[in-house]
Amino acid sequence: MLLSDLLAEAILSTRSDAIIAADRDGIIHFWNPGAGRLFGYSREEAITHSLDLIIPERLRQRHWDGYRRVMETGKSRYGEGDVLSVPAVRKDGSVISVEFTVVPLQNEGHMIGMAAIMRDVTKRFDEMRALKRKLAEVARTSNKSHDA
């Protein structure tokens, strides 16, 4: 087996990052062990289901509008290397924060789907939110003492 084949197999079977691929209609066709760990669904539970499985209901319309636009045009408003941050839903219904990059999947110049590589950043997101709240409180307290 070639080194490149071993590398591809190792990356796709990782448990650290979720790797998901969906067709033009948003139907999941690839779900690695990391996706199972992150979202709580087994490969069998996820394959052939819509990406709605992990998209919070309140964000679905916006997601599908963008997804369809990319499928039609082959162009995303996000550049190569952009890391997107969004909420996602786990099997148990809990909401997590994920960062991900998207990879357009094309065949002979035609869009056939998208792949995403995702990571759970909930802890970092919660810590940043708590820090922002503390900073806002310090600023309010500081402004009150200057006004007095």
Side-chain angles (χ1 to χ4, degrees), residues 48-80:
T48 74
H49 287 86
S50 167
L51 288 169
D52 282 346
L53 201 62
I54 60 172
I55 301 169
E57 193 168 339
R58 66 184 171 82
L59 299 176
R60 288 180 186 165
Q61 184 64 50
R62 191 167 133 203
H63 164 82
W64 291 116
D65 289 346
Y67 195 90
R68 285 186 202 96
R69 188 171 46 255
V70 172
M71 287 303 119
E72 290 167 11
T73 66
K75 306 228 182 313
S76 171
R77 66 183 193 162
Y78 304 106
E80 286 183 30

Side-chain angles (χ1 to χ4, degrees), residues 6-7 14 19 49 52 56 58 61 79 92 110 125:
L6 291 170
L7 175 63
T14 185
I19 303 174
H49 287 86
D52 282 346
R58 66 184 171 82
Q61 184 64 50
D92 65 9
H110 299 290
F125 183 81

Side-chain angles (χ1 to χ4, degrees), residues 5-57:
D5 294 337
L6 291 170
L7 175 63
E9 187 177 316
I11 290 170
L12 292 174
S13 64
T14 185
R15 289 188 51 79
S16 59
D17 289 332
I19 303 174
I20 299 170
D23 65 15
R24 287 184 63 86
D25 299 319
I27 303 301
I28 299 166
H29 288 269
F30 184 84
W31 185 266
N32 80 332
R37 181 189 61 78
L38 186 62
F39 295 108
Y41 293 98
S42 69
R43 181 183 184 286
E44 294 72 25
E45 290 174 303
I47 296 291
T48 74
H49 287 86
S50 167
L51 288 169
D52 282 346
L53 201 62
I54 60 172
I55 301 169
E57 193 168 339

Side-chain angles (χ1 to χ4, degrees), residues 89-110:
V89 180
R90 293 178 41 84
K91 182 179 180 178
D92 65 9
S94 61
V95 176
I96 59 173
S97 297
V98 296
E99 285 183 347
F100 68 102
T101 55
V102 292
V103 180
L105 301 175
Q106 297 184 359
N107 186 11
E108 298 180 8
H110 299 290

Side-chain angles (χ1 to χ4, degrees), residues 123-137:
K123 183 178 178 188
R124 181 167 34 115
F125 183 81
D126 290 347
E127 289 169 351
M128 289 295 290
R129 191 171 16 183
L131 280 172
K132 286 178 182 177
R133 271 194 292 249
K134 285 181 183 177
L135 282 171
E137 182 58 35

